[in-house]
Amino acid sequence: MASTARFDVVAIGNAIVDVIARADDALIEAEGLAKGSMRLIDADEAARLYAAMGPAVEMSGGSAANTLAGMAALGRRCAFIGQVADDQLGQVFTHDLTSLGVAFETPPLAEGDPTARCLIFVTPDGQRTMNTFLGASQNLGRESLAPALIADADILYLEGYLWNADASRAAMAEAIGLARAAGRRVAFTLSDTFVIAAHGEDFRRMIAAREIDILFANEAELLELAQDQDFEAALASIAAGVPLLVVTRSEKGAVAVTNGERTAVTAEPIDQVVDTTGAGDLFAAGFLSGQAQGRSIADCLTMGAICAREIIAQVGPRAQTDLTAKIAERLG
């Protein structure tokens, strides 16, 4: 039976403008950056690094927003809840996301921190080194939740990165209750091992309380959450508490476990890795789009793998190829 909900997915996440520029290894070393890492920075560091960047592309970003952009490209109905400021980058974020077909109506903040931005240096090997100033995004409060919007989406998708701030953590916890009361599913992406290191007890409690229906993780995040360095043991441990666990494993493909049944796919072949920015986000976009279509878990995993392949073959997290066509070529 087809869903009567207005949206396939409503996501809550960091509203960040991505500023993406190519860089050589010498610049990464000169700036004292750890290649391939993501770190949080303050406003002064953001200004300094921005001045050091070469020509850049600016677009709406943030993990959950990237996922919704991918889903919109696949024809899915999506809405976003996130906080920007009433400034130039806030306008860039809003225009960019809505132009992709994603509903975004969270009012901007007139005072306080400026809009968040992530300064991304992409080296020739495709690795991205991310420096994130969270700014206004971490000021998302309960007043911005839009309960009717959450109730009118099949899935509430929560970004782990946003769990770091007190206000947004409280807002997301309340959003889970709103989704549960409306009979909707809750999906959660762990985002990064440093988030789990700080808040793993919260996440393990949420799993034990059966508050998460779909959990997304990469292999390193799974091991951190399970506090076990054996992949199979970690997979079994976390899968026991989540109706649908989805784990990406880079070149080793991806695996999902639902109700004790395991499904795995290999990684999609690619000639050259150009930029890994948004790979996990677009995997989630493909997987959730498959869920919205009622496809099998294997098809959902394959759709995620195709979307991830397409995004790492280009610069930036916005697909420059027709994702729908690519999936049709592979799955029909």
Side-chain angles (χ1 to χ4, degrees):
M1 179 175 162
S3 171
T4 58
R6 181 182 173 197
F7 296 104
D8 297 307
V9 171
V10 58
I12 302 178
N14 279 317
I16 299 176
V17 174
D18 283 342
V19 183
I20 306 171
R22 291 191 175 277
D24 56 25
D25 289 335
L27 178 60
I28 300 297
E29 183 175 349
E31 293 297 332
L33 307 178
K35 190 168 87 168
S37 67
M38 197 292 282
R39 65 176 184 139
L40 299 179
I41 59 175
D42 59 21
D44 290 341
E45 179 74 349
R48 188 186 69 78
L49 286 176
Y50 185 76
M53 297 183 88
V57 175
E58 298 180 350
M59 65 183 69
S60 61
S63 175
N66 288 342
T67 295
L68 295 189
M71 293 189 70
L74 289 168
R76 308 320 305 173
R77 302 158 295 144
C78 305
F80 180 72
I81 298 171
Q83 191 64 65
V84 298
D86 188 9
D87 56 18
Q88 182 177 351
L89 286 183
Q91 293 170 10
V92 168
F93 182 93
T94 301
H95 176 269
D96 190 57
L97 195 62
T98 56
S99 71
L100 297 171
V102 177
F104 175 52
E105 299 177 354
T106 309
L109 294 178
E111 299 178 349
D113 294 323
T115 297
R117 72 287 314 263
C118 183
L119 308 178
I120 304 173
F121 295 84
V122 182
T123 42
D125 59 359
Q127 284 294 315
R128 80 283 187 271
T129 303
M130 301 189 295
N131 305 271
T132 304
F133 169 57
L134 291 173
S137 69
Q138 61 190 329
N139 297 326
L140 180 75
R142 294 175 176 176
E143 67 278 2
S144 298
L145 282 182
L149 189 66
I150 293 170
D152 210 10
D154 283 326
I155 293 174
L156 170 67
Y157 181 73
L158 302 175
E159 176 186 325
Y161 281 130
L162 201 56
W163 205 261
N164 278 313
D166 291 343
S168 56
R169 183 164 61 251
M172 295 171 85
E174 184 166 322
I176 291 173
L178 292 170
R180 280 271 173 263
R184 305 305 189 184
R185 288 193 291 170
V186 176
F188 195 97
T189 177
L190 291 169
S191 295
D192 199 288
T193 54
F194 85 82
V195 178
I196 305 166
H199 303 290
E201 284 305 313
D202 281 351
F203 302 153
R204 287 184 280 270
R205 176 194 57 76
M206 292 160 63
I207 290 170
R210 299 284 175 168
E211 294 178 355
I212 298 174
D213 299 293
I214 306 172
L215 182 66
F216 288 93
N218 63 28
E219 185 166 350
E221 293 160 2
L222 177 75
L223 298 179
E224 179 73 28
L225 183 64
Q227 299 180 308
D228 193 323
Q229 292 307 300
D230 180 81
F231 175 77
E232 293 299 333
L235 187 71
S237 172
I238 301 303
V242 181
L244 176 52
L245 172 63
V246 184
V247 183
T248 57
R249 307 186 72 191
S250 299
E251 71 279 0
K252 291 181 283 188
V255 59
V257 181
T258 179
N259 298 320
E261 183 175 346
R262 176 174 177 156
T263 307
V265 299
T266 58
E268 292 291 306
I270 183 172
D271 293 330
Q272 180 183 6
V273 174
V274 175
D275 175 16
T276 56
T277 305
D281 306 333
L282 268 291
F283 180 94
F287 187 93
L288 290 172
S289 293
Q291 288 278 290
Q293 295 172 9
R295 288 180 178 258
S296 68
I297 295 297
D299 278 1
C300 292
L301 288 170
T302 299
M303 289 173 67
I306 291 169
C307 291
R309 178 197 67 195
E310 293 300 304
I311 220 67
I312 64 177
Q314 60 168 60
V315 174
R318 296 289 179 269
Q320 298 165 19
T321 56
D322 186 337
L323 295 179
T324 300
K326 296 292 183 180
I327 289 170
E329 289 173 9
R330 180 77 162 75
L331 296 176

